[in-house]
């Protein structure tokens, strides 16, 4: 029963902070930039830089760490699998063995780096969803994807679908909770039995849930038509996104971070090889 | 059976920065074949209180005793409690899911481990009580009218033969005729079967007419727990929390203030009785 409420990944955490006030476009770009940097970085100082950035990013957001780590529970298994596979299956110089498994120096290195990367990735991107309301997020996406309109890509429609889908998540979750309780009041059991039995027991939950989803979709469509909704053409916004000084500062910091992460985070020799390779190819 | 709330507290979202105190220090007793009205505004804790009554929610403080036993003690069978304390949620028709009316009503008894034959007998009896005709047993529940659907859903709970029946806003969203049907159904169940009934409502009129005792909730606390006559003498208290005495009494109050009528403590609750009181004043 507690499972539904425990999912914090992708949940807004209302509080006052600089990060909360940032333009959603900035937060999207910063998140993408940060993810990119994590894949660029290969050296230990680079990871320290990424950690520094993450501490700043999460610290400024004022979302309690406890709350963020709760979201990590959902991906804990993935994390463990990543560590285990990298630790035991990377070939190289053997450090020690037990039973049939051997741990190599390379394995240890890859496992720890991969785990760090994964944790940074999840925490870094969850800051965005913790500090941005779904509506803001889709506004930001719509604005960022605007150039694609020239290619006849239905940007507005997709943004609208996304915001509707996001809007419905809490509603359907609440509905699930309600129907579950109503059926439990009729003696339904969602918690015991084998996998087939459990799947069967979900019918009394899923049928009403689907019916209610369709009913709500229908109501919403009628309400939108009643207000003359006809897609994005000529539509203006009540609260258009406008960049403030803090947003530009954030962009500047991101740029600085990205440059630094290339300089510190890449193996310079490797970078040189890459550059000469590109140059050779150009010539 | 009797159900006793012993200093029950309930806090939602305790770990976030916006904890909600849904129930604070509620103590009361339900049982003994009484007809109890539970009244309060949206968000006053009515629904939360009900969901504690059959063990769907666990109190964060205090105890709930069923015939003297704590329902959250380790070996307590809460599923059988849910059969004895029948809970009809708001818009119960949203929980219908089976292909035909009779099978849907059988869901509860079957979950209690009754044989197919016994379950059907109980379902038929319950459907008869709520006034659903035999010819409709094989229909899909989705083919019925709103009022009929609701009665089928109530039968779904009645078929478990509860000793206490709690109904959350059973008349919400129904037309006047549907409301009347449901209310007289509830009244009949109480009178004929001797079930303890708790009628949750935000309409004083609905509750006033039937209840032996009225509970008034406000901001999660049990404000009043008295007989209707005593509750209705507290017009100011009720108005302070946004409730009011029944319209019929309000009219008489206004007439008295205008100098018409006497100070006799007549408490007519139906329009007909009110008309008679006014007539007697005029003569």
């Amino acid at each position: 029963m507690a499972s539904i409420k425990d999912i914090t990944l992708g949940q807004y955490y209302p509080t006052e902070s600089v990060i909360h006030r940032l333009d959603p476009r900035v937060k999207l770009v910063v998140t993408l930039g940060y993810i990119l940097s994590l894949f660029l970085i290969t050296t230990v100082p680079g990871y320290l830089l990424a950690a520094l950035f993450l501490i700043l990013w999460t610290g400024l957001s004022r979302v309690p760490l406890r709350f963020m780590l709760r979201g990590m529970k959902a991906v804990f298994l993935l994390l463990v699998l990543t560590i285990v596979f990298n630790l035991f299956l990377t070939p190289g110089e053997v450090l020690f063995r037990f039973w049939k498994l051997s741990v190599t120096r390379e394995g240890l290195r890859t496992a720890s780096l991969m785990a760090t990367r994964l944790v940074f990735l999840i925490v870094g991107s969850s800051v965005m969803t913790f500090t941005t309301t779904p509506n803001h997020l889709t506004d930001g996406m719509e604005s960022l994807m605007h150039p694609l309109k020239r290619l006849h890509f239905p940007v507005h429609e997709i943004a609208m679908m996304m915001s509707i889908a996001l809007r419905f998540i809490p509603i359907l979750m609440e509905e699930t909770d309600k129907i579950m309780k109503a059926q439990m009041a009729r003696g339904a059991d969602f918690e015991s039995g084998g996998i087939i039995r459990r799947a069967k027991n979900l019918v009394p939950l899923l049928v009403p849930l689907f019916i209610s989803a369709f009913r709500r979709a229908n109501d919403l469509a009628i309400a939108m038509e009643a207000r003359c909704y006809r897609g994005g053409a000529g539509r203006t916004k009540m609260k258009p996104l406008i960049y403030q000084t803090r947003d530009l500062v954030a962009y500047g910091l991101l740029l600085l971070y990205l440059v630094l992460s290339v300089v510190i985070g890449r193996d310079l020799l490797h970078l040189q090889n890459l550059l000469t390779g590109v140059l050779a190819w150009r010539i | 059976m009797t159900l006793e709330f012993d200093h029950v507290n309930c806090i939602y979202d305790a770990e976030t920065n916006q904890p909600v105190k849904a129930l604070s220090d509620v103590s009361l007793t339900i049982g003994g074949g009484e007809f109890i009205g539970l009244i309060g505004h949206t968000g006053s804790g009515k629904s939360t209180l009900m969901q504690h009554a059959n063990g769907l929610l666990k109190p964060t403080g205090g105890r709930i005793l069923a015939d003297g036993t704590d329902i959250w003690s380790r070996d307590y069978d809460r599923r059988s409690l849910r059969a004895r304390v029948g809970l009809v949620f708001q818009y119960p028709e949203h929980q219908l899911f089976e292909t035909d009316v009779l099978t849907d009503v059988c869901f509860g008894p079957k979950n209690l481990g009754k044989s197919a034959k016994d379950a059907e007998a109980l379902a038929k009896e319950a459907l008869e009580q709520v006034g659903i005709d035999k010819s409709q047993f094989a229909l899909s529940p989705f083919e019925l009218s709103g009022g009929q659907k609701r009665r089928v859903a109530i039968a779904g709970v009645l078929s478990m033969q509860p000793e206490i029946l709690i109904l959350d806003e059973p008349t919400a969203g129904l037309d006047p005729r549907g409301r009347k049907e449901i209310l007289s159904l509830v009244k009949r169940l109480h009178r004929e079967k001797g079930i303890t009934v708790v009628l949750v409502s935000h309409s004083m009129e609905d509750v006033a007419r039937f209840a032996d005792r009225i509970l008034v909730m406000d901001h999660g606390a049990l404000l009043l727990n008295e007989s209707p006559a005593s509750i209705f003498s507290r017009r100011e208290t009720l108005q302070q929390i946004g409730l009011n005495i029944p319209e019929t009494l309000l009219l008489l109050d206004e007439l008295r203030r205008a100098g018409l009528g006497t100070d006799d403590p007549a408490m007519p609750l139906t329009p007909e009785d009110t008309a008679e009181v006014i007539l007697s004043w005029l003569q």
Side-chain angles (χ1 to χ4, degrees):
Chain A
M1 268 235 296
S3 60
I4 291 173
K5 280 194 174 159
D6 282 344
I7 302 169
T8 57
L9 199 71
Q11 207 180 70
Y12 182 64
Y13 184 90
T15 187
E16 261 301 308
S17 83
V18 191
I19 308 283
H20 279 77
R21 281 197 303 270
L22 278 182
D23 191 292
R25 287 171 293 185
V26 178
K27 281 186 267 193
L28 275 164
V29 172
V30 168
T31 307
L32 283 176
Y34 187 67
I35 292 173
L36 185 76
S37 80
L38 287 178
F39 286 100
L40 278 175
I41 290 168
T42 53
T43 64
V44 174
Y47 277 102
L48 287 179
L49 180 73
L52 196 71
F53 186 87
L54 193 66
I55 290 169
L56 193 73
W57 185 229
T58 49
L60 283 177
S61 76
R62 291 172 64 184
V63 178
L65 193 66
R66 190 166 42 88
F67 207 70
M68 260 186 230
L69 292 180
R70 256 208 318 185
M72 292 287 302
K73 265 196 228 162
V75 285
F76 185 71
L77 190 69
L78 183 71
L79 192 64
V80 169
L81 284 179
T82 310
I83 293 174
V84 167
F85 278 111
N86 278 302
L87 200 58
F88 293 118
L89 299 179
T90 315
E93 184 194 335
V94 176
L95 284 180
F96 58 89
R97 306 166 184 276
F98 60 84
W99 194 45
K100 279 181 187 172
L101 299 166
S102 56
V103 175
T104 62
R105 181 185 291 281
E106 286 77 4
L108 198 63
R109 187 184 145 85
T110 331
S112 50
L113 288 189
M114 286 296 273
T116 322
R117 189 180 278 181
L118 204 61
V119 171
F120 282 13
L121 191 90
I122 292 159
V123 174
S125 46
S126 64
V127 170
M128 179 176 71
T129 47
F130 276 132
T131 60
T132 322
T133 60
N135 274 334
H136 256 105
L137 211 57
T138 42
D139 270 3
M141 282 190 191
E142 187 177 355
S143 168
L144 282 177
M145 292 198 301
H146 195 74
L148 291 177
K149 236 181 183 160
R150 302 210 160 188
L151 305 173
H152 296 286
F153 186 76
V155 173
H156 170 82
E157 282 70 19
I158 288 191
M160 179 57 85
M161 281 194 270
M162 260 175 54
S163 57
I164 290 173
L166 286 171
R167 179 69 190 78
F168 268 59
I169 291 174
I171 294 179
L172 288 181
M173 251 155 74
E174 203 174 294
E175 192 90 7
T176 310
D177 189 54
K178 228 168 69 185
I179 297 170
M180 233 166 140
K181 279 182 182 158
Q183 304 297 28
M184 280 165 78
R186 294 168 76 192
D189 182 5
F190 295 108
E191 278 149 356
S192 57
I195 190 151
I196 294 175
R197 219 192 131 64
R198 272 195 199 207
K200 262 190 177 167
N201 286 350
L202 282 182
V203 172
L205 172 65
L206 291 180
V207 173
L209 194 62
F210 270 96
I211 293 169
S212 122
F214 282 122
R215 189 180 51 235
R216 282 176 193 281
N218 198 25
D219 288 353
L220 181 64
I222 290 172
M224 283 167 81
E225 275 184 359
R227 295 179 208 177
C228 303
Y229 178 77
R230 39 172 60 239
R235 203 173 168 78
T236 53
K237 289 213 178 293
M238 189 167 138
K239 291 176 188 161
L241 295 174
I242 297 165
Y243 282 125
Q244 310 288 328
T245 320
R246 57 171 174 268
D247 299 317
L248 301 179
V249 171
Y251 273 140
L253 285 175
L254 176 70
L255 197 67
L256 181 70
Y257 166 73
L258 283 179
V259 170
L260 278 176
S261 70
V262 170
V263 174
I264 303 175
R266 295 300 290 191
D267 207 327
L268 282 182
L269 199 67
H270 184 77
L271 195 71
Q272 221 169 21
N273 286 342
L274 200 76
L275 274 177
T276 45
V278 170
L279 286 175
W281 180 74
R282 284 292 294 275
I283 295 161
Chain B
M1 72 179 291
T2 49
L3 209 55
E4 197 185 334
F5 283 66
D6 179 23
H7 299 281
V8 170
N9 279 288
C10 174
I11 300 167
Y12 284 131
D13 296 330
E15 295 122 50
T16 61
N17 59 349
Q18 296 173 319
V20 182
K21 193 149 198 197
L23 288 181
S24 61
D25 202 31
V26 173
S27 296
L28 60 99
T29 311
I30 296 170
E34 253 187 314
F35 196 121
I36 300 168
L38 173 55
I39 245 189
H41 260 287
T42 317
S44 59
K46 295 175 302 204
S47 296
T48 310
L49 184 72
M50 303 179 358
Q51 289 175 30
H52 278 88
N54 70 348
L56 283 174
L57 289 178
K58 189 177 180 177
T60 45
R63 294 181 308 161
I64 295 157
L65 308 165
D67 289 332
T69 320
D70 188 339
I71 67 166
W72 285 99
S73 55
R74 187 131 39 106
D75 304 320
Y76 196 82
D77 180 7
R78 277 181 295 279
R79 266 225 283 174
S80 73
L81 172 75
R82 282 172 200 152
R84 295 165 71 202
V85 182
L87 185 55
V88 179
F89 275 80
Q90 228 178 78
Y91 297 104
E93 60 273 24
H94 291 176
Q95 82 205 18
L96 301 174
F97 68 99
E98 273 293 358
T99 44
D100 64 86
V101 168
L102 188 63
T103 323
D104 203 288
V105 178
C106 284
F107 181 66
K110 270 188 193 154
N111 283 332
L112 298 178
K114 296 265 194 281
S115 71
K117 214 177 118 201
D118 289 349
E120 207 175 295
L122 287 168
K124 280 182 175 159
E125 193 193 327
L127 281 166
E128 201 174 301
Q129 278 166 5
V130 300
I132 296 289
D133 193 71
K134 272 196 182 64
S135 62
Q136 291 166 316
F137 285 5
L139 292 180
S140 157
F142 303 103
E143 286 174 298
L144 303 174
S145 76
Q148 284 173 328
K149 271 190 212 167
R150 189 159 298 182
R151 278 184 282 150
V152 170
I154 293 176
V157 173
L158 279 180
S159 61
M160 300 194 299
Q161 300 190 297
E163 294 160 55
I164 296 178
L165 182 66
I166 307 177
L167 303 107
D168 191 359
E169 306 258 0
T171 59
L174 290 183
D175 57 18
R177 194 174 142 201
R179 290 169 74 99
K180 215 169 162 187
E181 278 175 7
I182 296 285
L183 287 176
S184 60
L185 161 69
V186 172
K187 182 70 193 162
R188 209 176 58 233
L189 286 171
H190 173 245
R191 204 176 44 221
E192 287 173 8
K193 301 199 73 189
I195 308 179
T196 305
V197 172
V198 180
L199 183 65
V200 182
S201 177
H202 59 240
S203 153
M204 194 57 105
E205 282 75 25
D206 280 357
V207 166
R209 225 180 287 177
F210 306 119
D212 304 318
R213 178 155 63 105
I214 294 180
L215 312 172
V216 178
M217 302 252 337
D218 183 46
H219 289 105
L222 185 63
L223 200 68
L224 301 170
N225 177 5
E226 291 160 33
S227 72
S230 149
I231 295 263
F232 299 151
S233 63
R234 298 170 181 268
R235 184 173 162 179
E236 277 78 31
T237 318
L238 290 175
Q239 280 172 346
Q240 261 166 24
I241 61 166
L243 293 169
N244 214 331
I245 58 175
E247 283 163 358
T248 51
L249 300 185
L250 206 57
L251 174 67
L252 292 190
D253 256 18
E254 293 300 325
L255 287 175
R256 279 195 197 102
R257 198 173 297 178
L260 185 73
T262 55
D263 277 341
D264 71 69
M267 284 207 177
L269 295 169
T270 62
E272 292 79 14
D273 293 349
T274 318
E276 267 179 34
V277 173
I278 297 173
L279 264 178
S280 74
W281 283 355
L282 289 173
Q283 281 156 10

